Amino acid sequence: MTARETLPILGFLIGAVLVSLFVTSNVVLNFLVFTLILAIAAQGWNLLGGYGGQYSFGHAAFFGMGAYVSAILQQRFGVNAYPAVAFGIAAAAVLGYAIGAMVFRAGLRGSYFALVTLAFAEVLRILANATEITGGAAGLLISLNLGAGNLQFADRSSFLILGAVLLALAMLITLALEKSRLGAQLVAVRENESAAAALGVDILAVKLRAISLSAALTGAAGALYAQYFLYIDSNIAFGTWISVEALLAPIIGGAGTVFGPLIGALILQGLSEGTKLLIGKIPGLDLIIFGVLLILVVRFPLHRIPGLLAARWRGKGAP
Amino acid sequence: MTGQGRDPAFLAVRDLTKRFGGLTAVSEATFDVREGSITGLIGPNGAGKTTLFAMIAGFEQPSAGLVLLDGEEITGRKPHDLAKLGLARTFQIVQPFAGLSVRENIAVGAFLRLPKRRDALALAEQVGQRLGLGPQLDKPAAALTVAGRKRLEVARALATRPRILLLDEVLAGLNPSELRDFLPVLQDIRAGGVTILMIEHVMQAVMSLCEHVHVLAGGRIIASGEAAEVVRNPAVIEAYLGPGAAQRLAAHA
């Protein structure tokens, strides 16, 4: 990883700081913070799905683990927000390792892997809905206790910077992975498992490291969500919605790229909020339009448009 | 021989057997590969050569028998462990990492012994040049011709710095000029201290490259010896051309 390769990430961070200084609309700030949280969750998915080719349909399990562990530690055990968030992230990583150890050791791949991860997330959702420590169906409120020492901010722009810093960290981790031996081996596993094994890649070990790291990032998004909204319940934390958002964003923005999840999350949230804003008066119509736009975006990925135009231009230029 | 009672073979296969249900694909195959040699494994289609390779390289668990590498038993070990021990293989049906460049493909092999990206890429470049892939290093692997993909298979395996290389039909599908260009590359690899065991159908290559040839037919080793002598062996001729073929050939001679 060279300094030049980290420049775009630095640029993103500076952009986010500028936005936090000059944008005052709470609607816009709220939109951006939420998008950043999704982008972090999506970056986690991207590590395992985009680079490793293991398409999880249950990243809600890790998002929810990060959210619940940090919220429960703060609310039930009076732990300070910073260690609570750190424990939340660690718990998500351990859960990722545990699920990976079972699923990958059993040799599950492709749609079987997707289905089993979905099942794990659903089991956790039902458990969180039924047990006492999670607040059951009523959910869990984190007491309002403003102050940087408690990782709670009155203004949304501070959260914007916090989210941007976390996402920048996630992107740096992804970039470092991309340039590392583990990253090369992970991509090799995605492309062809038997060829990778023949070249000395320990497939199980590589997948386990990837899913732990992936789960940690998505868990961090969950903890940040809890810190921002100060409320979670089982359908938010372990709901299928976050599994879907976490996988759609990188697929739309460019799976297996550092900026893909952020671009995808911006497009997804932009489309969703935009349609709601423009045609929110007739209930359901915005969802229909959102669905149509989603199909178009998946069919004609925006990140490929420059390449397509270039190819077309070259095609015309050739004799 | 310095060691007392040490198996002189670098790779020793002993009574290796693979049964798929009622079908015995490989039956009690026993043969040796000498250190520093190029050894051929030939046989008609369906003889069990690829299954035998898969067992040696850890991709299939043998039903019975032993494999020893430099005196150490390696039967049934995982492919990645074997690669660490210095046993690398190529695939008959080439398996490039299609989404990666040629250089990155080779680097995956190089990463086995070199943890740093810079070192791995440098070795990948060096091995790529050696195998004549220099001009294609930055192209996507999917864009290579058949001959290029075969070279890539060998390059990737070689980048793991193996002691023994198992080549599964790397010459199949090449045209005569590609073949002529590729033979010196294989000799050069052996000259670099890598033992080679190759499955091959291209007899011209087997005759010119291999000091020693083992013939597998119907899952059994039916002949072993020098290439020139093995192809005159009546049992081998009949395995390829059918019963009585040896006699008919002798009558015509």
Side-chain angles (χ1 to χ4, degrees), chain B residues 73-239:
Chain B
E73 197 194 324
I74 58 163
T75 322
R77 291 221 199 146
K78 295 236 170 73
H80 64 88
D81 288 330
L82 293 174
K84 269 171 213 150
L85 284 175
L87 184 147
R89 73 165 294 185
T90 66
F91 291 90
Q92 181 183 3
I93 299 159
V94 290
Q95 317 253 6
F97 304 125
L100 305 186
S101 72
V102 170
R103 190 193 306 269
E104 288 166 332
N105 261 271
I106 307 174
V108 173
F111 267 123
L112 178 64
R113 315 247 180 243
L114 303 168
K116 288 217 183 90
R117 179 180 166 81
R118 186 186 305 167
D119 302 342
L121 285 176
L123 178 61
E125 164 127 27
Q126 190 193 326
V127 172
Q129 298 284 4
R130 190 170 161 202
L131 277 152
L133 288 165
Q136 280 98 29
L137 276 174
D138 291 310
K139 288 191 184 148
L144 291 177
T145 60
V146 173
R149 288 175 193 210
K150 297 276 187 183
R151 279 170 188 257
L152 179 57
E153 279 284 319
V154 179
R156 274 193 326 200
L158 201 59
T160 65
R161 290 192 177 148
R163 293 191 286 162
I164 180 165
L165 198 51
L166 308 188
L167 304 177
D168 194 349
E169 294 204 31
V170 285
L171 302 174
L174 302 189
N175 67 36
S177 89
E178 288 164 346
L179 195 61
R180 195 191 53 221
D181 294 342
F182 209 174
L183 296 187
V185 174
L186 295 181
Q187 274 162 336
D188 178 52
I189 292 171
R190 187 259 300 268
V194 180
T195 306
I196 294 176
L197 172 63
M198 60 194 300
I199 293 181
E200 204 46 73
H201 274 308
V202 182
M203 284 312 289
Q204 175 207 346
V206 174
M207 300 297 280
S208 67
L209 281 177
C210 303
E211 297 90 68
H212 211 83
V213 174
H214 304 286
V215 186
L216 193 70
R220 294 173 182 279
I221 298 282
I222 57 163
S224 291
E226 278 175 35
E229 133 201 344
V230 158
V231 293
R232 282 196 300 272
N233 184 322
V236 175
I237 294 171
E238 295 200 349

Side-chain angles (χ1 to χ4, degrees), chain A residues 34-50 54-64 214-215 217-219 221-222 237 239-257 260-262 264-265 268-269:
Chain A
F34 190 61
T35 303
L36 286 179
I37 292 172
L38 286 184
I40 297 167
Q43 191 66 272
W45 186 93
N46 187 37
L47 270 187
L48 184 67
Q54 312 300 312
Y55 278 32
S56 149
F57 220 89
H59 259 51
F62 312 133
F63 185 85
S214 165
L217 287 186
T218 303
T240 316
W241 72 277
I242 185 66
S243 295
V244 173
E245 299 269 358
L247 77 92
L248 267 184
I251 288 172
I252 289 172
T257 64
L262 173 62
L268 258 183
Q269 284 310 106

Side-chain angles (χ1 to χ4, degrees), chain A residues 1 178-182 184-185 187-203, chain B residues 59 79-80 83-84 89 91 95-100 105 108-109 111-115 117 156-157 160:
Chain A
M1 191 161 59
E178 201 179 285
K179 305 294 175 198
S180 72
R181 161 150 79 174
L182 177 60
Q185 294 182 331
V187 171
V189 166
R190 174 188 76 197
E191 295 288 325
N192 189 323
E193 285 198 12
S194 30
L199 297 175
V201 176
D202 185 342
I203 300 202
Chain B
F59 283 81
H80 64 88
K84 269 171 213 150
R89 73 165 294 185
F91 291 90
Q95 317 253 6
F97 304 125
L100 305 186
N105 261 271
V108 173
F111 267 123
L112 178 64
R113 315 247 180 243
L114 303 168
R117 179 180 166 81
R156 274 193 326 200
T160 65

Side-chain angles (χ1 to χ4, degrees), chain A residues 56-80:
Chain A
S56 149
F57 220 89
H59 259 51
F62 312 133
F63 185 85
M65 198 62 161
Y68 265 114
V69 167
S70 81
I72 288 171
L73 284 177
Q74 289 177 67
Q75 208 52 33
R76 303 252 190 263
F77 299 97
V79 177
N80 175 270

